[in-house]
């Protein structure tokens, strides 16, 4: 008869997430607690943007300004430690710095609450390496449509 092996903490741990992913989940838990406590969500977003470096910061600042100007009904709030914009408590769009997960490009993306449905298929995120005037105009159009104001 085999003896039962006592499970250790190491046996129960799951190593499927990398350090950046685990950190993002911890940040999300803190964000949820801060929201319940009535924290100043926009100040948190601006603080996260200020922590970014180089092109990540420049793009996040531009996107924040675009969202504030073209879809003021979207409320800024951090989401997994990154700037996001919500409507009716649901994330509509977000910016993810390339440094967050050590990727080649930053991402500007949309969640299910975004009203971007177009036919049977449409993009839900865009890779960003820099923002041109044409890119900024396109983002403004997408943000207005996503918020339901276009």
């Amino acid at each position: 008869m085999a003896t039962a092996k006592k499970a250790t903490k190491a046996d129960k741990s799951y190593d499927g997430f990398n350090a950046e992913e685990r950190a993002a989940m911890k940040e999300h838990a803190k964000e949820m607690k801060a929201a319940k406590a009535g924290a100043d969500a926009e100040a948190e977003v601006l603080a996260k943007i200020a922590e970014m470096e180089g092109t990540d910061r420049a793009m996040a600042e531009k996107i924040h300004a675009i969202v504030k100007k073209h879809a003021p009904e979207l409320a800024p709030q951090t989401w997994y430690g990154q700037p996001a914009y919500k409507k009716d408590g649901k994330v509509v769009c977000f910016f993810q710095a390339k440094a967050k997960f050590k990727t080649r490009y930053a991402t500007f993306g949309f969640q299910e609450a975004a009203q971007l449905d177009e036919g049977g298929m449409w993009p839900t995120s865009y890779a960003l390496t820099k923002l041109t005037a044409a890119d900024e105009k396109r983002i403004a159009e997408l943000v207005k449509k996503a918020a339901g104001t276009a």
Side-chain angles (χ1 to χ4, degrees):
M1 177 178 254
T3 59
K5 179 181 172 187
K6 184 177 177 181
T8 66
K9 186 174 181 178
D11 294 335
K12 292 180 183 178
S13 70
Y14 175 68
D15 200 32
F17 297 105
N18 64 34
E20 291 83 11
E21 292 166 331
R22 284 190 299 276
M25 288 185 285
K26 286 179 183 178
E27 282 189 84
H28 187 56
K30 286 188 338 191
E31 292 161 359
M32 291 170 57
K33 288 178 187 175
K36 281 186 179 181
D40 183 348
E42 184 165 13
E44 292 291 324
V45 167
L46 294 172
K48 287 296 182 182
I49 291 171
E51 290 173 7
M52 294 177 191
E53 297 181 2
T55 58
D56 280 341
R57 181 189 290 173
M59 288 188 292
E61 288 171 343
K62 285 181 182 179
I63 287 172
H64 183 74
I66 290 167
V67 173
K68 295 285 290 175
K69 179 178 180 181
H70 296 282
E73 64 279 6
L74 295 182
Q77 187 169 357
T78 56
W79 188 54
Y80 294 97
Q82 298 291 284
Y85 304 88
K86 293 183 171 187
K87 184 174 182 179
D88 300 326
K90 296 179 181 178
V91 172
V92 173
C93 57
F94 63 92
F95 175 80
Q96 182 178 292
K98 68 180 180 180
K100 180 72 175 180
F101 294 107
K102 300 175 184 165
T103 58
R104 186 169 60 91
Y105 50 81
T107 303
F108 184 63
F110 299 91
Q111 290 295 103
E112 279 189 46
Q115 298 178 25
L116 293 175
D117 303 33
E118 193 172 293
M121 185 173 93
W122 58 90
T124 59
S125 64
Y126 295 84
L128 306 173
T129 56
K130 64 180 179 174
L131 290 178
T132 66
D135 298 330
E136 291 177 33
K137 181 179 177 186
R138 178 69 176 133
I139 288 170
E141 292 166 356
L142 287 168
V143 165
K144 284 192 268 186
K145 185 174 180 183
T149 58

